[in-house]
Amino acid sequence: MVIRTFEHEYPVIGVKQQTEQYDVYICRDVSGNCLCRILSIKDKSLFAELVSWLTDNINREAFADYREHFIYDGQLCIVMKYTQGVNLASKLATENVPFRERMELARKILEKVVIQEIPDYFLAKCFLPEQMIIAQDLSVSFNYPIEDIITDRQQNGRENIVSVFRLIFQRELDRKVPDLLMDFIKKLPGLTEKRMMDVYSEYYILMGKLENYNEKDEQPKTFWYKLWDKIKQILGVLKKALIIILIVLSVCYLIYTIIDPGKNKTSNGHFHSIGTVDIVRSG
């Protein structure tokens, strides 16, 4: 199956979802050499309202992840860029990402939002850890599950920014250091009510102030984190002591077997019989 417009061809490589109201396809954009996610809406009574809303709310020149919309085979198709790979939630759960890389990752996420001027509804769809795809070079791609665009287009994605930042810097939040980062995350809900450019600017200033920060230099401030650090230090000392004790015991045993080898040999006893046969010794 191939979905076509005058300028583009989208060969379908997978069907993600099918309902009475819409279908969702994963397609390849032949001209753009990338994957796309196409929401194909069946209810014709929604077409005029949706097309008008899309036209009014999207800056097509900036929002490159939004490819186009068109009527195909009696259905309204909305085409969004789609990326496969490791999402933010999986990356942070399975990799030990250093503080400096996580700072840069958060910057790139905000930068992409600012550059593309992503409207609030689409921001609500992409600003979720499972919808952010992170490449090895920390470049960021967004996916947009926009099926509820039919019924709910008033979502505010800025609320998700706080939870994403808390996820990225969970390690620092647990330790409550550094102070500058804690202050930024604390005031982030208020910042999101401003322009996204203001959020990015504040964060960029924060990065400059933390340029020389070393997470190993600053001790955790929470009681439980300090207690856990102390327990880990004690366990480390006990582990080393146990290894030394085992080595000493092994050496002692080795010395003992060398000094008294007779204990490990079979004694030369005198046998008087073998089975039912008596052994008679002469002399």
Side-chain angles (χ1 to χ4, degrees):
M1 176 180 174
V2 179
I3 299 175
R4 291 186 173 88
T5 70
F6 289 112
E7 298 180 352
H8 300 103
E9 287 189 357
Y10 300 102
V12 175
I13 61 175
V15 179
K16 201 168 184 67
Q17 191 177 3
Q18 288 185 311
T19 71
E20 293 183 356
Q21 287 187 306
Y22 59 82
D23 298 327
V24 180
Y25 303 104
I26 302 299
C27 305
R28 181 166 297 282
D29 181 354
V30 176
S31 60
N33 194 26
C34 63
L35 294 180
C36 291
R37 193 174 192 272
I38 296 183
L39 174 65
S40 181
I41 301 170
K42 303 174 184 179
D43 189 348
K44 293 181 175 60
S45 65
L46 300 172
F47 291 3
E49 180 185 357
L50 275 172
V51 169
S52 176
W53 184 87
L54 291 169
T55 303
D56 292 341
N57 287 273
I58 293 177
N59 181 343
R60 296 284 295 275
E61 293 182 0
F63 192 13
D65 286 351
Y66 183 88
R67 312 298 283 185
E68 61 178 329
H69 60 266
F70 52 85
I71 304 295
Y72 175 79
D73 199 20
Q75 299 184 16
L76 174 61
C77 295
I78 302 175
V79 185
M80 306 294 299
K81 187 176 179 180
Y82 179 77
T83 305
Q84 294 177 319
V86 178
N87 64 45
L88 177 64
S90 297
K91 183 176 182 65
L92 295 176
T94 59
E95 299 180 25
N96 183 21
V97 186
F99 175 74
R100 189 62 54 196
E101 289 189 16
R102 285 182 284 121
M103 286 288 290
E104 177 64 11
L105 179 59
R107 186 194 69 79
K108 288 190 174 184
I109 290 173
L110 288 177
E111 181 183 61
K112 191 173 182 68
V113 172
V114 170
I115 290 175
Q116 293 214 63
E117 299 181 15
I118 301 178
D120 279 349
Y121 169 78
F122 293 94
L123 197 61
K125 304 292 99 179
C126 74
F127 227 90
L128 300 169
E130 61 273 16
Q131 303 302 338
M132 299 179 179
I133 307 302
I134 313 300
Q136 288 295 325
D137 62 354
L138 297 184
S139 59
V140 179
S141 300
F142 293 149
N143 288 327
Y144 304 84
I146 59 169
E147 289 77 16
D148 60 358
I149 196 172
I150 298 172
T151 56
D152 185 6
R153 295 185 289 278
Q154 304 304 318
Q155 299 178 40
N156 183 2
R158 301 184 180 207
E159 299 172 356
N160 298 333
I161 295 176
V162 180
S163 59
V164 167
F165 264 75
R166 295 186 68 86
L167 176 65
I168 294 175
F169 297 109
Q170 186 61 57
R171 189 186 310 170
E172 287 68 34
L173 286 168
D174 290 341
R175 295 166 58 92
K176 293 191 179 300
V177 290
D179 290 336
L180 289 173
L181 178 60
M182 295 302 100
D183 292 341
F184 176 81
I185 293 178
K186 186 176 181 179
K187 68 179 182 181
L188 189 55
L191 286 176
T192 57
E193 296 177 2
K194 302 179 181 180
R195 298 181 309 145
M196 288 304 301
M197 187 63 204
D198 295 331
V199 180
Y200 179 81
S201 298
E202 290 276 352
Y203 182 74
Y204 194 80
I205 292 171
L206 172 69
M207 288 186 68
K209 293 179 179 179
L210 293 176
E211 185 175 359
N212 298 319
Y213 172 75
N214 187 340
E215 55 187 320
K216 295 181 180 179
D217 293 341
E218 200 160 356
Q219 295 299 318
K221 297 182 179 180
T222 61
F223 169 77
W224 293 111
Y225 208 100
K226 288 181 179 179
L227 179 62
W228 176 238
D229 269 2
K230 187 64 67 176
I231 291 173
K232 287 192 293 183
Q233 291 175 8
I234 295 173
L235 290 176
V237 173
L238 291 177
K239 182 179 179 181
K240 292 178 181 178
L242 181 60
I243 292 174
I244 294 173
I245 292 172
L246 290 174
I247 292 174
V248 171
L249 290 176
S250 300
V251 172
C252 290
Y253 178 76
L254 181 61
I255 295 173
Y256 173 74
T257 57
I258 294 174
I259 294 175
D260 191 8
K263 295 293 184 180
N264 297 315
K265 295 183 178 180
T266 303
S267 60
N268 295 323
H270 298 289
F271 297 97
H272 299 284
S273 64
I274 299 175
T276 57
V277 178
D278 292 329
I279 300 176
V280 179
R281 301 178 181 275
S282 59

